[in-house]
């Protein structure tokens, strides 16, 4: 019996310490660093589908979205729908607005128009029907002289393309702007009452089209009315 009572204070002593009100240090012996407890940036996926008139893919239609990052910085993303008009894009931060553009905005959704993320962190915009808001017009790009460049990049604007501080035109070096074969007819979608339609055509600067677009020669065409669209754009 004496041995039994001798051990009791050793068992009770830790309990007395826990009642002193002193803060208990975090247990860092379980293999989890304190930094692992910090919240990670929210990741969501934006989904939707555009219903477009006619057939043949997006034909110049783009989805533009604005996202506020955890740092507070807002950035813009370009999403290119596939041949069926479907689009999907993962992003971090908070989605603030969505615009669908065909030279100019033809559909807008503000923050209070956007659905909340579902249990899978998907923001599904559903189906956006643009068949009554767009018409199809076709155009070819030609060259006045024989040229080794069989392809160009083409961008469409309603209103003249915005220039930089030194008067430089926008670069067409990204996949946002389609590669067009010279002499091939290409379909574009735009509002039926659009005015001041401009095309910016850019040649590749060399044989390696994948990397040398940004310094290629450029030429602007327009303005045109969507009701009186040119068939041919002829490069000098």
């Amino acid at each position: 019996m004496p041995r039994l009572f001798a051990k009791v204070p050793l068992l009770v002593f830790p309990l007395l310490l826990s009642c002193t009100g002193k803060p208990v240090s975090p247990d860092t012996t379980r293999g989890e660093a304190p930094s692992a407890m910090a919240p990670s940036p929210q990741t969501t996926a934006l989904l939707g589908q555009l219903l477009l008139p006619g057939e043949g893919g997006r034909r110049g239609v783009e989805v533009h979205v604005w996202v506020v990052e955890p740092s507070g910085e807002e950035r813009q993303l370009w999403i290119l729908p596939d041949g069926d008009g479907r689009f999907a894009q993962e992003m971090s931060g908070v989605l603030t607005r969505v615009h669908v553009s065909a030279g100019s905005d033809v559909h807008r959704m503000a923050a209070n128009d956007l659905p909340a993320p579902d249990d899978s962190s998907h923001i599904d915009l559903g189906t956006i029907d643009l068949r009554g808001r767009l018409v199809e017009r076709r155009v070819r790009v030609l060259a006045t002289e024989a040229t080794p460049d069989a392809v160009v990049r083409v961008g469409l604007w309603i209103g003249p393309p915005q220039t930089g501080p030194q008067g430089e035109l926008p670069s067409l070096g990204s996949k946002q702007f389609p590669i067009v074969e010279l002499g091939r007819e290409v379909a574009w979608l735009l509002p039926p009452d659009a005015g001041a339609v401009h095309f910016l055509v850019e040649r590749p600067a060399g044989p390696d089209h994948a990397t040398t677009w940004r310094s290629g020669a450029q030429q602007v065409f327009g303005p045109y009315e969507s009701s009186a669209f040119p068939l041919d754009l002829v490069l000098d």
Side-chain angles (χ1 to χ4, degrees):
M1 295 298 293
R3 293 181 179 180
L4 177 61
F5 286 112
K7 293 181 180 179
V8 170
L10 296 177
L11 297 173
V12 175
F13 184 69
L15 299 177
L16 294 176
L17 286 179
S18 67
C19 297
T20 60
K22 294 182 180 181
V24 180
S25 299
D27 183 2
T28 59
T29 64
R30 299 180 182 271
E32 183 178 18
S35 61
M37 303 301 294
S40 58
Q42 180 184 5
T43 300
T44 57
L46 182 67
L47 311 172
Q49 182 178 15
L50 306 179
L51 293 184
L52 303 174
E55 299 178 354
R58 66 184 187 91
R59 288 158 289 164
V61 179
E62 305 166 356
V63 180
H64 300 175
V65 303
W66 285 261
V67 178
V68 176
E69 299 283 7
S71 63
E73 179 184 359
E74 186 179 50
R75 64 190 180 105
Q76 182 180 0
L77 303 175
W78 281 262
I79 306 175
L80 304 183
D82 65 14
D84 294 324
R86 299 181 187 275
F87 57 90
Q89 177 71 45
E90 287 191 354
M91 62 191 72
S92 61
V94 178
L95 181 65
T96 60
R97 61 191 189 277
V98 176
H99 294 183
V100 181
S101 175
S104 64
D105 290 342
V106 294
H107 182 78
R108 295 186 181 188
M109 300 180 72
N112 56 358
D113 300 321
L114 298 170
D118 62 18
D119 294 340
S120 301
S121 295
H122 292 164
I123 300 176
D124 191 347
L125 301 184
T127 300
I128 301 173
D129 192 347
L130 300 176
R131 290 173 294 182
R133 304 187 194 182
L134 298 170
V135 295
E136 186 179 80
R137 298 287 184 263
R138 295 179 174 271
V139 68
R140 294 180 300 181
V141 179
L142 305 174
T144 55
E145 299 179 359
T147 173
D149 305 326
V151 295
V152 293
R153 283 193 189 265
V154 182
L156 182 150
W157 276 263
I158 296 180
Q162 293 184 349
T163 57
Q166 306 300 321
E168 65 271 21
L169 290 165
S171 169
L172 305 186
S174 73
K175 66 178 181 179
Q176 175 188 359
F177 302 100
I179 295 177
V180 174
E181 296 179 13
L182 290 177
R184 181 178 179 181
E185 190 176 65
V186 176
W188 295 85
L189 295 176
L190 68 162
D193 58 350
V197 179
H198 290 73
F199 287 95
L200 175 58
V201 180
E202 181 174 291
R203 296 175 183 263
D208 186 0
H209 300 156
T211 59
T212 54
W213 283 98
R214 294 185 181 278
S215 57
Q218 296 178 313
Q219 190 171 343
V220 177
F221 297 87
Y224 306 112
E225 302 294 323
S226 61
S227 58
F229 219 56
L231 174 62
D232 296 330
L233 306 176
V234 182
L235 295 172
D236 295 337

